[in-house]
Amino acid sequence: MKRLRARDFTANRAWGAERLALFGSTGVSLHWTDSPYRWHRNTGDEVFVVLDGRVEMRYRENGEEKSMQLEAGDALTIGDGEEHVAHPVGEARILVIEDINSE
């Protein structure tokens, strides 16, 4: 058994992570960041949960860029192939559940 306080978690680089669990090819990771990720598409579904901080999630729908604000406690499901990029507003801690083959 291992306790981890999400609000205290940090990493030595943006999007640094600690793998919390692995179920077959599904990974559960806690990420810390203070910088945007990059535009990407996953091969497989992703669950994105903001545990601490705020994140602007930008995504493309029918070629049009859109965005939504995510607060601590918000969860988002991102479908296979949906193009997106996360932009934290300050520091954020995020739980990500995804197929590790799509990382």
Side-chain angles (χ1 to χ4, degrees):
M1 193 175 301
K2 180 179 180 182
R3 180 178 184 171
L4 189 80
R5 289 194 185 272
R7 69 178 174 260
D8 296 332
F9 177 71
T10 59
N12 59 4
R13 61 177 175 80
W15 294 99
E18 181 164 334
R19 176 88 65 208
L20 303 177
L22 185 61
F23 304 99
S25 67
T26 301
V28 179
S29 299
L30 176 60
H31 293 261
W32 173 89
T33 190
D34 61 355
S35 301
Y37 195 59
R38 59 176 168 75
W39 281 100
H40 67 286
R41 292 184 173 143
N42 297 58
T43 54
D45 296 334
E46 175 182 345
V47 176
F48 186 97
V49 183
V50 179
L51 299 177
D52 185 59
R54 292 186 315 139
V55 175
E56 178 189 5
M57 181 62 75
R58 298 178 189 175
Y59 60 100
R60 291 192 178 121
E61 193 172 87
N62 298 321
E64 182 181 338
E65 188 173 320
K66 299 181 178 188
S67 73
M68 67 177 76
Q69 295 294 318
L70 301 172
E71 307 284 333
D74 288 346
L76 179 66
T77 57
I78 303 164
D80 180 11
E82 292 182 322
E83 191 174 15
H84 60 285
V85 59
H87 284 255
V89 179
E91 291 187 15
R93 286 142 182 103
I94 301 152
L95 184 72
V96 176
I97 304 166
E98 65 184 340
D99 184 335
I100 61 169
N101 297 320
S102 73
E103 294 181 322

